[in-house]
Amino acid sequence: MRLFYLILPFIIFWLIFNVLSIIIGIFYVYRESSIIESFRFVLSDNLFWVSLKNSFFYCIIVIPLQLISFFIAFVIYKLSDKQASFFRMIFYLPVVIPIASIGFVFKVMFNDEGVVNDWLFKFFGLKIPFLSNYYYSMLVAFLLTFWKGLGYYVLIYLSSLYSISKEIIENGVLDGMNFFQKMWYIYLPLVKGTFYFASFLSVLSALKVFAEIFIVTEGGPGTSTYTLMMYIYSRAFYSFDLPTSIAASFILSFIVILVSLFIFKKQLESAKIV
């Protein structure tokens, strides 16, 4: 019963700002316009499909983040305690820095006269329009997400690696396993569940990405980085069309639920196999 009282503030907070907001949103859409009409407008809006495509593309490019995070975590796992503590701090430091500060720094670094272009021109004679090019702008936004979130996923994989029993690894050594065999038959199977969990978190973050895009590119140039959250925000605060914004939010919530169920199912299957 004491544990219930400990989590009670969180439950109240969650009910007020999540469940209650959904109920209010449904009533608002119903009062202001037809719910079906709002969803019909969203689904017929070409800009919505562009934003959805960009959001899914953002989800796809976060997959390498998981692989890189795991291998960095594995390298730290093999270090001594003092060295591992130092590198854990270094990699986790960007996670605690406010996104507004990091976004501003990236915007200054990657503009046409920024530090990155100065280096490229100095060493290679090149200047790349990172923030004004249709394709490079998405790359800059992804680099920001990658750099800020890397340490978080490294710690998740480290916690999984540290939980592996030393006896299992020692048995592998006694059986004559080399490095690649231990990686394939011991480490990867035992962290598979963690991989699905980290993928779940990263995909959800990618679907709901907003601050990185808004600060660095503001959805541009054109609609190259215009994500679903940007669409919801612009409909609500630029066009003042709250019913459409709420309808798009419900669609995003439905997509998040489907993705969550799929990854959760895969995680359960991997747990049964292990």
Side-chain angles (χ1 to χ4, degrees):
M1 197 64 182
R2 291 180 179 178
L3 292 176
F4 174 76
Y5 288 124
L6 290 175
I7 65 173
L8 184 59
F10 171 78
I11 294 175
I12 296 174
F13 182 86
W14 184 80
L15 289 173
I16 292 175
F17 290 97
N18 288 274
V19 178
L20 186 61
S21 62
I22 293 174
I23 296 173
I24 293 174
I26 293 173
F27 276 106
Y28 185 87
V29 173
Y30 181 77
R31 188 187 67 179
E32 294 294 324
S33 63
S34 171
I35 296 177
I36 297 177
E37 286 298 324
S38 297
F39 280 100
R40 185 178 297 170
F41 177 84
V42 171
L43 295 176
S44 62
D45 189 359
N46 183 60
L47 190 57
F48 167 78
W49 293 106
V50 171
S51 65
L52 186 62
K53 180 199 71 174
N54 289 336
S55 294
F56 276 117
F57 178 72
Y58 212 84
C59 290
I60 292 172
I61 61 179
V62 300
I63 295 176
L65 173 63
Q66 300 306 315
L67 299 176
I68 296 172
S69 300
F70 170 74
F71 287 113
I72 292 176
F74 187 80
V75 172
I76 297 175
Y77 169 72
K78 289 296 184 180
L79 298 176
S80 64
D81 291 340
K82 289 185 178 180
Q83 292 173 329
S85 298
F86 173 76
F87 282 105
R88 284 199 301 266
M89 179 192 68
I90 293 297
F91 278 102
Y92 195 75
L93 188 60
V95 179
V96 299
I97 300 176
I99 185 62
S101 303
I102 300 176
F104 178 77
V105 170
F106 266 70
K107 191 171 185 177
V108 172
M109 286 176 58
F110 285 95
N111 65 33
D112 292 344
E113 303 300 328
V115 177
V116 176
N117 266 317
D118 286 344
W119 288 348
L120 289 175
F121 185 77
K122 181 178 180 180
F123 293 105
F124 303 102
L126 297 174
K127 274 203 171 185
I128 300 176
F130 287 105
L131 300 182
S132 57
N133 181 273
Y134 193 87
Y135 299 102
Y136 289 124
S137 55
M138 180 64 83
L139 175 63
V140 174
F142 170 69
L143 286 175
L144 172 56
T145 303
F146 175 81
W147 184 76
K148 181 168 176 57
L150 181 63
Y152 179 73
Y153 297 108
V154 165
L155 287 188
I156 290 177
Y157 284 115
L158 273 174
S159 64
S160 179
L161 288 169
Y162 283 130
S163 67
I164 297 176
S165 174
K166 298 292 184 182
E167 295 179 356
I168 299 176
I169 301 173
E170 291 172 358
N171 289 335
V173 174
L174 293 175
D175 290 338
M177 287 185 176
N178 57 34
F179 171 78
F180 296 102
Q181 289 174 326
K182 286 189 289 185
M183 178 65 71
W184 186 258
Y185 293 107
I186 296 178
Y187 292 112
L188 288 178
L190 292 178
V191 301
K192 187 185 293 184
T194 305
F195 178 80
Y196 283 121
F197 174 70
S199 299
F200 165 74
L201 294 178
S202 61
V203 168
L204 293 192
S205 299
L207 282 173
K208 298 186 294 182
V209 64
F210 173 74
E212 295 91 332
I213 301 291
F214 184 75
I215 295 171
V216 178
T217 66
E218 298 183 11
T223 57
S224 59
T225 58
Y226 199 83
T227 60
L228 196 51
M229 283 299 297
M230 283 293 298
Y231 177 83
I232 294 170
Y233 178 83
S234 62
R235 296 303 304 182
F237 297 102
Y238 290 162
S239 303
F240 299 103
D241 186 2
L242 287 180
T244 301
S245 177
I246 293 171
S249 300
F250 286 152
I251 294 174
L252 175 60
S253 300
F254 180 71
I255 294 172
V256 167
I257 291 172
L258 288 180
V259 173
S260 303
L261 291 175
F262 174 77
I263 297 178
F264 184 66
K265 179 183 177 183
K266 290 295 182 181
Q267 187 175 5
L268 288 178
E269 291 175 355
S270 68
K272 291 179 181 178
I273 293 174
V274 174

